[in-house]
Amino acid sequence: QVQVVESGGELVQTGGSLRLSCAASGRTSIRLNRSWFRQAPGKDREFVAAIKWSLTSTDYADSAKGRFTISGDNAKNTVDLQMNSLKAEDTAIYYCAVGGWGASANEWRYWGQGTQVTVSS
């Protein structure tokens, strides 16, 4: 079993920056791909970014390209999401997912409980 815990969500102003962090623990958690999804009220959970466990490849949703950066640390077994130039439409619960690959939530196995990001003007 793999445990996933997110942190870093908070209230931030439009145009500001925020860094989310996710820690995975468990016997096989190191060699697992990692990702971030988000879910706004009344909307489906959507893909934000992903990184291969080898840290050699990343993927981003169009809405994240140029503003968000995903990074991983295998020594700490963490994955971060640096978010810059935040917009009101980035307001959502952000989830970390581990073990899988792809832009569909169904393709990821282990999930955290989420961390709330609110962007206000």
Side-chain angles (χ1 to χ4, degrees):
Q1 190 69 11
V2 175
Q3 294 77 45
V4 180
V5 179
E6 306 96 334
S7 62
E10 62 181 59
L11 174 65
V12 63
Q13 290 189 333
T14 301
S17 297
L18 199 60
R19 190 176 186 90
L20 305 182
S21 186
C22 169
S25 60
R27 187 163 57 91
T28 61
S29 61
I30 293 178
R31 292 177 179 261
L32 295 176
N33 299 331
R34 305 153 200 172
S35 68
W36 287 95
F37 283 72
R38 67 186 183 186
Q39 188 166 17
K43 294 187 177 181
D44 293 334
R45 192 167 298 190
E46 66 173 5
F47 172 75
V48 176
I51 187 167
K52 292 280 191 177
W53 73 267
S54 59
L55 309 184
T56 58
S57 179
T58 59
D59 190 22
Y60 292 92
D62 287 343
S63 60
K65 289 178 182 176
R67 299 190 301 128
F68 295 1
T69 302
I70 189 170
S71 61
D73 186 332
N74 283 342
K76 298 179 180 179
N77 217 7
T78 58
V79 56
D80 290 354
L81 184 69
Q82 176 66 43
M83 303 187 293
N84 300 325
S85 303
L86 284 163
K87 308 174 183 178
E89 50 264 43
D90 294 319
T91 295
I93 299 175
Y94 282 70
Y95 295 92
C96 178
V98 174
W101 190 255
S104 172
N106 293 333
E107 296 175 282
W108 293 85
R109 184 173 181 182
Y110 302 105
W111 291 83
Q113 294 300 306
T115 185
Q116 176 71 49
V117 173
T118 304
V119 184
S120 66
S121 57

